[in-house]
Amino acid sequence: MSEPKPLLEIQNLSFSYSKSKEKTKLLDNISFSLPVGSCTALLGNNGCGKSTLFSILAGVRKPNSGKILVDGDPFKASASHASLLGYVPQENPLIEELSAKDNLLLRFHGHRKDFERMLTSTPMQLLDIASFYKLPVKKLSGGMKRRLSLACAFSNSPRLLLLDEPCSALDFSMKRQMNDCLTAYLKEGGTILLSTHEKEDLFLCTSLLFLKDGTLKEISSDEIPY
């Protein structure tokens, strides 16, 4: 049986930032791939560059060198890539003055009829978005904001989810519902890259990547250092 085709391929990616006139290399010639339908965890200590890598893959930042391929072709960040990937950064990406509904509308690419249908989809129901749909974001709890961020990522039915610590600020019950969302998404052929510091979030993952001192390597569950 042939191996699953990679959805995303990273080839020799490097990124440095300047600090006090010196360059610090966060990502040093790293390479990996994400097969279609897989769930991969990106692990590493705080400050090792995980969030930077997520922002590069989402098209927010540009690497210093290297290639990002989607289905074998160079990735170009644009408005049209909403159906390719959904991104949940570690920091709150929502507009506080707007309602939960308006934040979803801003991120949704499609007709109004499709938007109303999307609101009744499995992810929206499992995340219980209807319970705070009309409230302004500034009145939501931290857990509600995280759920809404996840809902925004799901809204365009992306092929790839980039989730930077998706369970932060979620209580036990909502973590379980979020995991139900991700399980259903994987069964439908979706692909996930997520970061976490909690071992219980790794049960869905088929592979583990560990980032340290700018280098990336695949590890087993026995090698997780925390």
Side-chain angles (χ1 to χ4, degrees):
M1 183 180 294
S2 61
E3 293 186 1
K5 179 182 176 182
L7 170 61
L8 186 75
E9 292 179 82
I10 309 303
Q11 298 179 353
N12 308 116
L13 195 80
S14 293
F15 179 83
S16 301
Y17 68 91
S18 298
K19 186 177 182 181
S20 301
K21 297 183 180 180
E22 294 183 1
K23 281 194 173 182
T24 299
K25 184 164 280 190
L26 271 183
L27 305 173
D28 188 7
N29 203 39
I30 66 171
S31 299
F32 65 97
S33 63
L34 301 178
V36 173
S38 66
C39 181
T40 301
L42 177 64
L43 309 176
N45 296 326
N46 289 333
C48 71
K50 299 189 301 297
S51 294
T52 297
L53 177 56
F54 273 104
S55 65
I56 290 172
L57 299 181
V60 177
R61 289 179 176 170
K62 290 185 178 181
N64 299 126
S65 60
K67 293 181 180 179
I68 302 174
L69 305 177
V70 176
D71 293 329
D73 297 320
F75 169 61
K76 295 180 180 180
S78 66
S80 63
H81 77 294
S83 61
L84 168 64
L85 65 87
Y87 173 42
V88 179
Q90 196 175 77
E91 68 279 2
N92 175 22
L94 305 170
I95 299 176
E96 295 278 324
E97 290 73 25
L98 298 182
S99 67
K101 174 185 176 180
D102 288 337
N103 271 274
L104 280 166
L105 275 168
L106 277 176
R107 288 160 178 81
F108 183 74
H109 295 262
H111 298 294
R112 186 57 182 251
K113 259 186 201 178
D114 297 326
F115 179 77
E116 298 299 332
R117 191 179 302 116
M118 180 271 294
L119 292 175
T120 64
S121 65
T122 297
M124 301 302 144
Q125 291 179 350
L126 288 173
L127 294 169
D128 195 23
I129 300 302
S131 66
F132 55 85
Y133 180 62
K134 295 181 180 180
L135 291 177
V137 169
K138 61 185 176 184
K139 291 189 176 181
L140 302 182
S141 68
M144 288 176 177
K145 290 178 183 179
R146 201 60 179 165
R147 284 152 57 191
L148 179 58
S149 297
L150 287 164
C152 289
F154 274 112
S155 63
N156 293 293
S157 302
R159 298 172 63 200
L160 170 65
L161 285 177
L162 302 175
L163 308 177
D164 195 356
E165 298 193 25
C167 288
S168 61
L170 294 181
D171 59 30
F172 180 78
S173 174
M174 286 313 306
K175 276 188 180 184
R176 185 171 56 197
Q177 288 176 270
M178 192 275 289
N179 286 332
D180 288 342
C181 281
L182 299 185
T183 299
Y185 174 76
L186 289 169
K187 285 181 178 178
E188 292 174 358
T191 305
I192 299 172
L193 178 67
L194 65 87
S195 70
T196 182
H197 290 287
E198 300 180 29
K199 284 188 177 181
E200 57 265 31
D201 294 339
L202 302 178
F203 78 99
L204 286 174
C205 297
T206 51
S207 61
L208 308 175
L209 301 174
F210 190 74
L211 183 61
K212 182 179 180 181
D213 298 329
T215 62
L216 191 72
K217 69 174 183 177
E218 186 167 358
I219 63 172
S220 68
S221 57
D222 295 332
E223 297 176 283
I224 299 174
Y226 47 78

